[in-house]
Amino acid sequence: MQYTNPDLKFNSVPPSGEIGWKSPSNIALIKYWGKKGNQIPQNPSLSFSLNKAHTQTTVQYRPAKGNKFSVDFLLNGKTNAAFGEKTTSFFKSLSEVFPFIRQLDFTIHSENTFPHSAGIASSASGMSALALTLCDLERTYFHQINDIDFFQKASFLARLGSGSACRSVYGGYTIWGETQAQNNTTNLYAVPVKGKVHPEFQHFQDTILLVETGAKKVSSRAGHALMNNHPFATERFGQARENLKILLTALQSGDLETFIRITESEALTLHAMMMTSNPSFLLMKPETLQIISKIQEFRMSTGTPVCFTLDAGPNVHMLYPLSAKELVHDFLNQELSKHTGNRGWIEDELGEGPQKITS
Ligand code: DP6
């Protein structure tokens, strides 16, 4: 594997200590749906990192008691066996990149700022926080790494934990996957969108309308697998490549109309892929359709630049520039709130990316 480095191990008694990172969730505008090999995406994707929805992870480490490492994982203060197993296998898969992992025992405290049941994927924020923390251990005990290489490596490793996690390593807009639209892109890690994003898109808002707060009906892994042998796969991957180019130009020129057209089409295509796969999944709920129809009607009748995107679930991300916030909020309170019942919504916006936790 790239980054394999047998020298990254302690030659005397390993240290004890604590390192932590806070890392955001992100929302994809151009969707990653379909992968091959070792977490290689079938098409490039583009997202922005959120501000409020993030995972805060602190890793406490000490010399391993036995000849292999152990992980105790606590989510919001409570032992979580499932996350513990996921982290153990993630760490195992990285033991040739960071041989020091095998010399340590870990207690990991992780907290999400959004409720676990809110339907916001915690894998992007969680895996990126873990990858950043491991890279920080390397930087603390072995050698200095400049920031560019540090975040690049963290993104590469986060990708192995969860594809979309590699985009959470940076703030603002990020591209993961090879595209002709920007010259430093790769399937191996995400990179920030180059050049200036138009002011209209710099403080973009994301109000997440909660239609359902239960666990996901289809896991990401199973979802991506549905694209293998999907009758429309080749067309879809080609379309995503084209959409990314168009969206990137719109982001740079401030073309809200094109942004809206492409973003909504990507969300609906993601769901169309799920509805036409075998087995098929219908993840939108009646309220999802009511909300997205109302957003489109409101946009058409008032000219307000607001649109939606969807993850692989029924909740609606309503996206709009800061300049439209007041109008959108009136509309939200008057028209949309009735479709979210007592689940309500989460106010978020474009964020600046991960931060080291300093105590
Ligand atoms: C619909 O990154 O969760 O949110 O690589 O299997 O962990 P794994 O999948 P994951 O897939 C995200 C799918 C998506 C679209 C996106 O974020 O681009």
Side-chain angles (χ1 to χ4, degrees), residues 26-35 39 43-47 86 121-124 127 158-167 176 216 219-225 270-271 274 310-313:
N26 67 74
I27 180 69
L29 304 170
I30 305 295
K31 305 293 183 184
Y32 149 56
W33 198 241
K35 60 178 162 181
Q39 295 282 96
N43 63 259
S45 55
L46 189 154
S47 63
K86 228 177 159 183
S122 60
S123 66
M127 284 297 171
R159 180 194 106 236
L160 300 176
S162 174
S164 56
C166 73
R167 299 185 310 237
W176 168 38
K216 287 208 265 186
S219 73
S220 295
R221 191 187 299 162
H224 289 287
L270 171 70
H271 281 255
M274 290 187 277
L310 305 165
D311 262 337

Side-chain angles (χ1 to χ4, degrees), residues 175-191:
I175 299 174
W176 168 38
E178 262 167 48
T179 163
Q180 293 157 358
Q182 188 171 299
N183 61 17
N184 62 342
T185 51
T186 158
N187 288 335
L188 301 179
Y189 49 83
V191 294

Side-chain angles (χ1 to χ4, degrees), residues 1-6 8 93-101 138 153 156-157 160:
M1 185 209 279
Q2 207 162 333
Y3 289 124
T4 296
N5 184 352
L8 296 183
S93 74
L94 299 183
S95 60
E96 285 182 19
V97 173
F98 296 132
F100 61 78
I101 286 179
E138 171 184 3
K153 185 166 182 177
F156 179 99
L157 301 177
L160 300 176

